[in-house]
Amino acid sequence: MGLFRRNKNTNKPIIRQLLDLVPPWLIKSCTNTYKTDKGVHKYRTYDQFVALTFGQLNKCQSLNDISAGIGVSEIFINDLGLRQSPARSTMSDGNKIRDWRVFESLYYRLLSHYKSVLKEHHNTHIIKEIKGKVVKLIDSSTISLCLAMFDWAEFRTAKGGIKLHTSWDYNLMIPDVVNITEAKVHDRYGLKQLIYPKDTIIVEDRAYFDFELMLNRIKAENVFVTRIKSNTLYQTIEELELPDNVDQNILKDEIIQLTSNKAMETGISGQKLRLAHVYKEDENKVIAIVTNQLDWEHGTIAELYKKRWDIELFFKALKQNLQVKTFWGTSENAVKSQIYVALINYLLLELIKRTISKKAVAFSNLSEKIRFCLYHYLSLDYVCNHVREGVRKVTFTTQKEWVFDADLFSG
């Protein structure tokens, strides 16, 4: 049986242990909501979830790869909870027809299920002045597609693409909203909710700099931290004194009012705002950050804006370690199903990384370990804490003697 031999570590392969982190009742509930198993006898929603998860974790390039990979052993198929390995054509039909919202719903419900655990194992630097506050980091990322194959994802004249509009929860360190649209949709209109409950802090790039949105947030008692556009007209009301111990990258801190005709039309011109000029060493340039919070310490604004890097790292990790750039179907339904399953796998890997790994480990390093050990019947603890790079010697003394057929390589 070789690799497919249950041993003392566990009687389940690594991939099944990841799948078991998704409670069966959650999958059943999402399936019932969208009726995705109605009239289905063989390739159920769970089967598709297993197939897409295998493809994600194993970075499969095609449906044939997934079919062949799952079908290498009857023991493996059975231990995945499947009755048979999926055929390429069956997977193709499932990706095209089964409502992608079942996987979107599964992601959000799984996030809610593990919310307290993720929050408890939050391991990022906490900014003292906003401790305990709800913080949302808003950004988007574009994935290019061939327009000839993905004709629904129109972007430019000869180019296709999709955009992941994302809200990143600072206290969970994971996306709490992801909306997938054609790449041509502007960031400002990519998320339905941009106004939040009272005292929520929103950090975003200048793509979201919008006078009406800013005014509505002030009325809702939200705090926004946004890069100001370079052509924005304003007048300085007061320049704040920078203490000697302030971050040397903060060059100027001032209270301003917007003065353009559009600002006066929307009514935002009557609001006092704060503008911090911060030097970015890595890019050798000065950026101007605007906020409606007038009382924070000087460094808090700059620190908060730096937190945007967390969402950038998420996009990078998703694209480099999971399969969201090579797609196993060309329909909108297939693409969205694949991306939401990728998000589910990102969540599961983050959960393992924070709760099972005893040492700090990069997301890419953990996902690589999981991929190498996907078929192995080992414990997640062993994979996280004992599988490592470098030479490893055999410590047991009994060695089997290899016997080769003399004619094995003969003509």
Side-chain angles (χ1 to χ4, degrees), residues 16 148 165 176 182 225 253-255 292 326 340 373 403 405:
R16 178 58 190 267
H165 302 271
D176 63 339
E182 304 87 38
V225 178
D253 194 359
E254 53 189 336
I255 306 297
N292 58 322
T326 299
Y340 279 110
C373 300
V403 180
D405 188 327

Side-chain angles (χ1 to χ4, degrees), residues 81-284:
L82 303 177
R83 290 191 281 265
Q84 65 180 51
S85 60
R88 189 207 65 80
S89 59
T90 305
M91 286 188 288
S92 178
D93 291 340
N95 290 344
K96 189 183 299 181
I97 297 170
R98 181 168 282 119
D99 194 334
W100 60 270
R101 292 178 299 171
V102 69
F103 300 117
E104 177 193 39
S105 174
L106 183 57
Y107 174 74
Y108 291 130
R109 295 194 63 178
L110 196 62
L111 180 61
S112 177
H113 181 69
Y114 285 116
K115 188 174 183 178
S116 59
V117 179
L118 290 166
K119 191 171 184 178
E120 182 184 350
H121 292 84
H122 180 283
N123 54 5
T124 190
H125 167 67
I126 303 295
I127 300 172
K128 183 179 178 181
E129 201 165 9
I130 62 164
K131 186 177 181 180
K133 297 285 187 181
V134 176
V135 182
K136 305 292 184 182
L137 312 180
I138 310 295
D139 205 352
S140 73
S141 183
T142 300
I143 298 172
S144 297
L145 298 171
C146 174
L147 189 58
M149 296 177 67
F150 302 82
D151 55 2
W152 53 271
E154 187 178 345
F155 184 22
R156 299 193 178 103
T157 305
K159 190 177 181 181
I162 55 173
K163 192 177 282 188
L164 310 186
H165 302 271
T166 305
S167 166
W168 176 271
D169 191 296
Y170 170 76
N171 293 309
L172 299 178
M173 287 296 288
I174 206 160
D176 63 339
V177 179
V178 177
N179 185 37
I180 306 168
T181 70
E182 304 87 38
K184 66 181 180 181
V185 175
H186 192 276
D187 289 0
R188 167 68 178 82
Y189 306 103
L191 291 173
K192 290 181 181 178
Q193 183 181 10
L194 286 172
I195 309 296
Y196 294 91
K198 180 181 175 181
D199 293 331
T200 301
I201 300 169
I202 307 127
V203 185
E204 59 205 357
D205 206 352
R206 59 186 165 199
Y208 302 89
F209 183 80
D210 179 275
F211 293 154
E212 186 178 352
L213 176 60
M214 290 161 66
L215 186 60
N216 287 334
R217 284 173 169 172
I218 291 171
K219 290 176 180 176
E221 297 185 58
N222 292 171
V223 175
F224 57 81
V225 178
T226 312
R227 271 188 73 182
I228 197 169
K229 290 183 177 178
S230 57
N231 60 350
T232 303
L233 299 177
Y234 66 89
Q235 63 177 1
T236 301
I237 305 299
E238 177 188 0
E239 185 169 338
L240 303 176
E241 185 178 349
L242 297 176
D244 293 336
N245 62 346
V246 77
D247 185 344
Q248 296 302 308
N249 287 334
I250 301 172
L251 306 181
K252 186 193 288 188
D253 194 359
E254 53 189 336
I255 306 297
I256 66 165
Q257 284 183 306
L258 303 173
T259 57
S260 68
N261 291 335
K262 191 173 181 180
M264 287 187 277
E265 285 173 16
T266 58
I268 190 73
S269 60
Q271 300 289 331
K272 288 184 178 180
L273 301 174
R274 189 173 175 184
L275 188 65
H277 302 262
V278 182
Y279 175 65
K280 284 196 73 179
E281 291 184 51
D282 56 334
E283 297 181 31
N284 191 29

Side-chain angles (χ1 to χ4, degrees), residues 17 47 63 76 187 196 217 251 261 298 308 317 344 381:
Q17 293 173 65
D47 299 349
L63 294 177
F76 186 64
D187 289 0
Y196 294 91
R217 284 173 169 172
L251 306 181
N261 291 335
H298 299 272
R308 283 191 63 259
I344 292 169
D381 175 77

Side-chain angles (χ1 to χ4, degrees), residues 342-357:
L343 288 168
I344 292 169
N345 280 274
Y346 178 87
L347 189 158
L348 296 177
L349 289 171
E350 269 294 312
L351 188 66
I352 293 167
K353 176 173 171 283
R354 298 185 200 183
T355 59
I356 298 178
S357 290

